[in-house]
């Protein structure tokens, strides 16, 4: 299916196979002349010191330009922009009792874009050191561009977010990744962001907040806690991987992992049998969602005081507000609401070798805010217990795994522009025959190559699983 | 990617390539020993006479077990089953004025299933002659099974819809098609049905309402008006087509069409460049949807009298009620609401040869009830004008086309269980260089093979475009 020479397709879209091979080369390049690995931590530390950034919790009364809307109690910005906190009423066939909870509503699709360029024949990615108010540690490694739809309109008016023009309204762009993906569906209603990687071949002016890194370098940084931000993990997970790559000899974990990304030998199930597992759940599970005024949540166990909206039973999270002082953002100081989870999350992916190829056990998962009933998530995805929590399959198994089984283990931050100190422990665990190849309904063994193939389409893999795909590349 | 012998994948899923080849053989078989073509019309006529079915418009007061809910005005069934008529408030970036309209709400995913079986080495499909209250002509050719989720639960209790068990809760099933697809998004809110084809190799008892037909036979019947129902068209459109099939020599329309389905030579754009066109629209267009009480519609130009809920400006459709008398349904007589469009629709697909391969011009289309902002639809999809309608791209072009350009032209019925006398004229029109290969934003030339490939996933092609894919197979 290679497009004709000179066709729009060739100009607009890079050949996928070639892209995958170039991605692999970049991943196999652990250092770079452009940005030596040894200098990255010094750059981040110096940049962080020079660009002081503070976020202090404040009472709701301290919010400027945000208000609780009369009649609904929804928390909104006076311009109608950014996001709002509203109520969501849900029920399901598994739990027909209707519940109302606060939820973040941001119906417009934002952009997470990474610029790519070859240096010395190797793809590099333009990463940005960016602070967000909810980060535990100030700045993290972000995509080249994180933009909301309001930023798009500014492109017309010449006050554009840097580099945004490369991603939108740019017919000659060379697209390596382009898919609309979901985000935390237990905290957001139907939230989506467009994940893009666009390749350029000319110089671009980039200030000291930017650095060109190879995929090998970024994957090395993924082994550290709280450094590669959620948006970066999501976009990088979508990069295509080669099929039928050079044979990967060896019987170690690394070789089985590479065979899993490269699709050779064949996966246990064909791709349609993988998606069929999700289709089963989407067709048979019933998820009812209705937007309601936030005030309705106060009739269902939630209450609002000066400082927070929280559930009396400890329902996993609360809504709070912060005052942010930044030296280098669109505006120097602002206030905003954030969602604060009450505890650290756990997202674990069990993997095992089947026919010498690593397979990951994914689970069809519904959350209150899922757009289309269910998406695939990790084997275990679990936030704070809350009262009356039902048993989580494989949770005890994951908790009992010794360190000899753990191939990846780091705590990563979720999006610091919406969440306050939201951290999740991400684990890749190598299982053996104690996890049988035949698994319960709603679970399926798939190769990393298959999961990556599904990432060319939206709404197959949730954001936690996308993080684990990115992390699995860094597993060993 | 052929699964290992004996694996779950092999038991559960037919090999796609082989399936596509067997589908092609069935399509190339215009008659059958099992059900001779010459006997089909006689069977339908005799069956129609023997199974009398009447649907008479009645005032809302004549509805039994349906009621207007106090407080909201929503029209609901007393069991909470089937569907309801509620209000939907929408706005978009193109039209920021908020509008409220009635909409059909049916959040559960139903099943449209066709059984397939080989006779004399050729796949046959088990079609059902089925009347629906909204049909203009009583019975039409329907899938083996049309089931709601309530029917699924009855499988547990032994009162199953015939053949339903072959599609759900049947681990050994051999699946040829399985995807959740949308339906009319201007009349339904987020409506989805699971489209399935499952192959069996044993005899099944089927009464006189069923007949085994080849795909060639069904496609022949697609040339007639109002005979192959919407659900059948949708499911059959999803059948895979062979890639790299035997070369199709010749420079006629038929050869260009076959090359288009078989993907050889290469399409103008690669598949990612096709989906990217839709992603652009999904990311940049803003579609706000909010469920509201139906009563709110009465503040926005709609009104309800004894017989109908209609817009004073003639907004395309009205809600009415019928009394149905059937000799052969789950119950012998019932009443129900239906949606009646005020005029016949038009759905036209412009096709042209590019490099000897037929390409279809598809349009990223948003309707008020679209689940994920936009899906691909036909070049032109147009229902009644209404007042203040904006110009529809390519509508004048399509209307001006002479008969020498028309490759397919038939009026087909939309789903008679929800719509009353809803008919759409479906056209496939062969264009020339007057429609350039470079097209406006939101439009893209794609081959039928590419469109069929996207049908393995849900929510890429809307139901009108799926009908046109099915019809294109019957074009000449």
């Amino acid at each position: 299916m290679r497009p004709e020479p000179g066709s729009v397709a060739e100009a607009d879209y890079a050949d996928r196979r070639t892209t995958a091979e170039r991605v692999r080369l970049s991943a196999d390049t652990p250092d770079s002349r452009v940005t030596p690995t040894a200098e990255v931590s010094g750059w981040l530390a110096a940049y962080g010191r020079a660009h002081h950034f503070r976020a202090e919790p404040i009472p709701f009364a301290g919010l400027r330009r945000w208000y609780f809307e009369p009649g609904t109690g929804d928390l909104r910005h006076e311009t109608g922009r950014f996001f709002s906190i509203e109520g969501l009423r849900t029920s399901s066939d598994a739990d027909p009792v209707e519940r109302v909870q606060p939820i973040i509503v941001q119906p417009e699709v934002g952009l997470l874009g990474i610029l790519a360029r070859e240096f010395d024949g190797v793809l590099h990615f333009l990463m940005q050191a960016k602070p967000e108010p909810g980060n535990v540690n100030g700045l993290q490694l972000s995509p080249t561009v994180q933009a909301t739809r309001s930023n798009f309109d500014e492109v017309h008016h010449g006050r554009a977010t840097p580099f945004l023009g490369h991603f939108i309204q740019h017919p000659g762009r060379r697209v390596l990744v382009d898919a609309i993906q979901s985000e935390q569906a237990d905290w957001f209603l139907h939230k989506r962001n467009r994940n893009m990687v666009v390749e350029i071949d000319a110089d671009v002016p980039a200030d000291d907040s930017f650095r060109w890194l190879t995929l090998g370098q970024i994957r090395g940084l993924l082994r550290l806690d709280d450094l590669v931000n959620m948006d970066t993990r999501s976009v990088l997970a979508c990069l295509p991987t080669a099929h039928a790559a050079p044979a990967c000899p060896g019987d170690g974990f690394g070789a089985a992992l590479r065979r899993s990304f490269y699709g050779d030998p064949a996966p246990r199930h064909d791709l349609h049998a993988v998606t069929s597992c999700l289709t089963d759940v989407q067709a048979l599970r019933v998820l009812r969602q209705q937007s309601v005024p936030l005030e309705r949540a106060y009739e269902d166990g939630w209450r609002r005081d000066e400082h927070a909206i929280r559930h009396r039973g400890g329902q996993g999270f609360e809504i709070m507000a912060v005052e942010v002082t930044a030296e280098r953002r669109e505006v120097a100081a602002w206030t905003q609401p954030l969602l604060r989870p009450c505890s650290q999350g756990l997202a674990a992916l069990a993997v095992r070798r089947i026919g010498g190829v690593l397979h990951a056990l994914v689970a069809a998962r519904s959350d209150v805010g899922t757009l289309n009933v269910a998406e695939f998530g990790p084997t275990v995805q679990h936030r704070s217990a809350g009262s009356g929590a039902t048993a989580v399959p494989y949770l005890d198994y994951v908790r009992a795994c010794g360190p000899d089984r753990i191939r990846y283990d780091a705590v990563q931050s979720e999006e610091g522009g919406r969440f306050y100190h939201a951290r999740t422990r991400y684990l890749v665990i190598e299982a053996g025959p104690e996890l049988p190849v035949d698994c319960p309904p709603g679970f399926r063994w798939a190769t990393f190559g298959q999961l990556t193939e599904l990432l060319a389409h939206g709404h197959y893999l949730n954001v936690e699983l996308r993080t684990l795909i990115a992390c699995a590349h860094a597993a060993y």
Side-chain angles (χ1 to χ4, degrees), chain A residues 337-348:
Chain A
L338 288 172
L339 182 152
R340 172 163 56 189
C342 301
S343 62
Q344 180 175 293
L346 172 69

Side-chain angles (χ1 to χ4, degrees), chain A residues 287-359:
Chain A
L287 174 64
R288 291 187 191 81
Q289 301 166 319
Q290 192 187 7
S291 287
V292 296
L294 179 55
E295 279 176 358
R296 294 284 167 80
Y298 306 138
E299 300 157 15
D300 201 20
W302 294 81
R303 64 194 175 83
R304 183 180 117 196
D305 64 23
E306 277 175 73
H307 293 275
I309 298 167
R310 59 170 69 96
H311 194 269
R312 60 161 184 261
Q315 276 291 348
F317 69 86
E318 58 186 54
I319 305 296
M320 38 88 78
V322 291
E323 163 107 40
V324 188
T325 319
E327 288 185 25
R328 190 164 179 276
R329 283 290 286 246
E330 296 79 6
V331 287
W334 74 92
T335 62
Q336 71 168 88
L338 288 172
L339 182 152
R340 172 163 56 189
C342 301
S343 62
Q344 180 175 293
L346 172 69
L349 191 61
V351 299
R352 64 163 284 195
R353 300 177 211 189
I354 303 174
V357 178
L358 212 60
H359 284 65

Side-chain angles (χ1 to χ4, degrees), chain A residues 82-83 103-113 132 143 145-148 179-196 229-235 238 289 339 365-372 374-378 381 383 413-419 426 455 458-467:
Chain A
F82 306 111
F83 60 94
I103 195 137
I104 308 175
V105 177
Q106 190 175 357
E108 300 173 350
V109 177
L111 176 80
L112 310 175
E132 290 289 359
V145 172
Q146 294 174 203
T148 63
I180 296 175
Q181 302 290 1
S182 67
E183 293 185 3
Q184 281 77 4
D186 47 350
W187 296 337
F188 280 120
L189 178 62
H190 300 175
K191 172 77 181 299
R192 290 159 288 187
N193 264 321
R194 185 177 193 174
N195 288 236
M196 290 187 92
N229 89 348
M230 180 186 98
D231 300 334
T232 303
R233 302 190 306 263
S234 171
V235 176
C238 298
Q289 301 166 319
L339 182 152
R365 179 179 177 88
S366 299
D367 285 297
V368 292
T370 303
L371 177 69
N372 194 8
E375 297 185 12
F376 280 127
Q381 179 178 325
R383 293 197 231 265
S413 295
E414 310 306 337
E415 223 276 284
R418 298 291 174 268
F419 312 133
Y426 287 96
L455 283 172
H459 300 291
Y460 274 111
L461 271 58
N462 76 2
V463 64
E464 291 82 3
L465 183 53
R466 294 201 304 280
T467 279

Side-chain angles (χ1 to χ4, degrees), chain A residues 130-277:
Chain A
K130 190 174 182 189
E132 290 289 359
N135 285 356
V136 288
N137 57 342
L139 56 83
Q140 298 191 6
L141 219 53
S142 307
T144 318
V145 172
Q146 294 174 203
T148 63
R149 206 176 174 290
S150 318
N151 299 133
F152 299 177
D153 298 332
E154 290 164 4
V155 172
H156 296 292
H157 302 100
R159 298 177 291 113
T161 305
F163 306 114
L164 181 54
H166 289 279
F167 296 92
I168 60 171
Q169 300 165 348
H170 194 88
R173 67 191 177 188
R174 187 173 164 89
V175 177
L176 310 188
V177 165
D178 186 10
I180 296 175
Q181 302 290 1
S182 67
E183 293 185 3
Q184 281 77 4
D186 47 350
W187 296 337
F188 280 120
L189 178 62
H190 300 175
K191 172 77 181 299
R192 290 159 288 187
N193 264 321
R194 185 177 193 174
N195 288 236
M196 290 187 92
V197 178
V198 167
E199 186 176 359
I200 54 174
D201 50 17
D203 243 349
V204 289
D207 68 24
D208 196 46
S209 62
F210 293 92
R211 285 291 185 277
W212 289 103
L213 299 174
T214 67
L215 204 50
Q217 290 180 301
I218 300 168
R219 287 181 181 163
L221 297 172
L222 259 172
R223 298 196 182 113
L224 307 176
D225 289 351
D226 299 308
L227 182 51
V228 178
N229 89 348
M230 180 186 98
D231 300 334
T232 303
R233 302 190 306 263
S234 171
V235 176
L236 294 182
C238 298
L239 280 169
T241 52
H243 286 286
C248 306
D251 57 2
F253 176 83
L257 177 63
R258 289 174 75 94
R259 284 191 288 264
S260 182
F261 274 109
Y262 298 156
D264 182 40
R268 173 70 178 180
H269 304 287
D270 90 1
L271 191 61
H272 296 274
V274 173
T275 57
S276 191
C277 165

Side-chain angles (χ1 to χ4, degrees), chain A residues 348-413:
Chain A
L349 191 61
V351 299
R352 64 163 284 195
R353 300 177 211 189
I354 303 174
V357 178
L358 212 60
H359 284 65
L361 184 59
V362 295
R365 179 179 177 88
S366 299
D367 285 297
V368 292
T370 303
L371 177 69
N372 194 8
V373 186
E375 297 185 12
F376 280 127
T379 319
V380 171
Q381 179 178 325
H382 183 61
R383 293 197 231 265
S384 85
S387 51
T390 52
V392 176
Y394 299 107
L395 179 59
D396 291 340
Y397 174 83
V398 164
R399 284 182 171 154
C401 276
D404 57 313
R405 296 297 189 85
I406 295 176
R407 302 286 170 245
Y408 178 91
D409 184 2
V411 176
Q412 301 291 356
S413 295

Side-chain angles (χ1 to χ4, degrees), chain A residues 75-93:
Chain A
L75 181 53
R76 298 179 184 281
H77 194 262
E78 61 180 32
T79 61
R81 285 174 52 180
F82 306 111
F83 60 94
S84 56
I85 311 289
E86 306 181 15
L88 179 69
R89 177 188 291 146
T90 57
S91 64
S92 70
D93 54 333

